[in-house]
Amino acid sequence: MSTAKNRVAVLHGVNFGVLEKRDPELYGGLSLSELEYRISGWAGEMGLEPIFFQSDSEAEFCGFLHRLDDTADAALLNAGAWTHYSRAIADALAVSGVPTVEVHLSDVDDREEWRKVSVFEGLVVEKIAGRGPEGYRDGLEVVSGLLGTKS
Ligand code: DQA
């Protein structure tokens, strides 16, 4: 069995399955598959192995987080609107014990007041927002530094 620690879970929450239908001004007009394709390319360059997961079901998402340490060595998390209110997902993330970077496509700190709140504060290594898809590359850089896959 390989001992390399290079598996990064890229987790998308509610409404990301219809990303291409959402406001292109905010979210860029990409589909989730297109976004994941870009993330795969960046991850490969950094020696990381991405594992993708998306769900609109909070229960399913919590279940995935409960088992995250079997699946991944680190994670990028964009939980969408859950970010701002789901204490259940925050508690599940705390159980996971996997270093996680929070990513948002849009600049959540420059939108409505309620989007400035993240229930993941204190649980994540870093929060990256407002960089569009490039924010995931930045997140992968952070993960790569943590796992030591940087060449
Ligand atoms: C988002 C920001 C959230 O406020 C919103 O509910 C989303 C997407 C982002 O990536 O910018 O669904 O997480």
Side-chain angles (χ1 to χ4, degrees), residues 77 79-94 100-104 108-109 113-128:
L77 172 65
W82 287 334
T83 305
H84 313 300
Y85 67 86
S86 177
R87 300 275 169 200
I89 290 178
D91 283 351
L93 181 64
T100 299
V101 177
E102 178 180 340
V103 180
H104 299 282
V108 284
D109 293 312
E113 283 300 309
W114 60 268
R115 289 189 206 269
K116 295 180 184 170
V117 175
S118 171
V119 294
F120 307 129
E121 197 179 328
L123 292 173
V124 292
V125 176
E126 201 173 314
K127 171 175 153 181
I128 297 169

Side-chain angles (χ1 to χ4, degrees), residues 17-99:
V18 289
L19 187 58
E20 72 282 2
K21 296 186 181 176
R22 300 184 70 188
D23 186 346
E25 295 283 318
L26 290 167
Y27 303 121
L30 287 179
S31 68
L32 183 61
S33 309
E34 287 162 346
L35 178 60
E36 289 177 344
Y37 181 78
R38 288 200 199 181
I39 295 168
S40 284
W42 292 321
E45 286 165 18
M46 295 179 209
L48 293 166
E49 183 197 325
I51 295 138
F52 296 107
F53 177 74
Q54 188 275 329
S55 181
D56 288 329
S57 154
E58 203 173 4
E60 209 173 274
F61 207 83
C62 286
F64 196 88
L65 290 175
H66 296 161
R67 296 181 299 276
L68 192 59
D69 59 342
D70 294 333
T71 317
D73 303 303
L76 301 188
L77 172 65
N78 189 346
W82 287 334
T83 305
H84 313 300
Y85 67 86
S86 177
R87 300 275 169 200
I89 290 178
D91 283 351
L93 181 64
V95 168
S96 83
V98 168

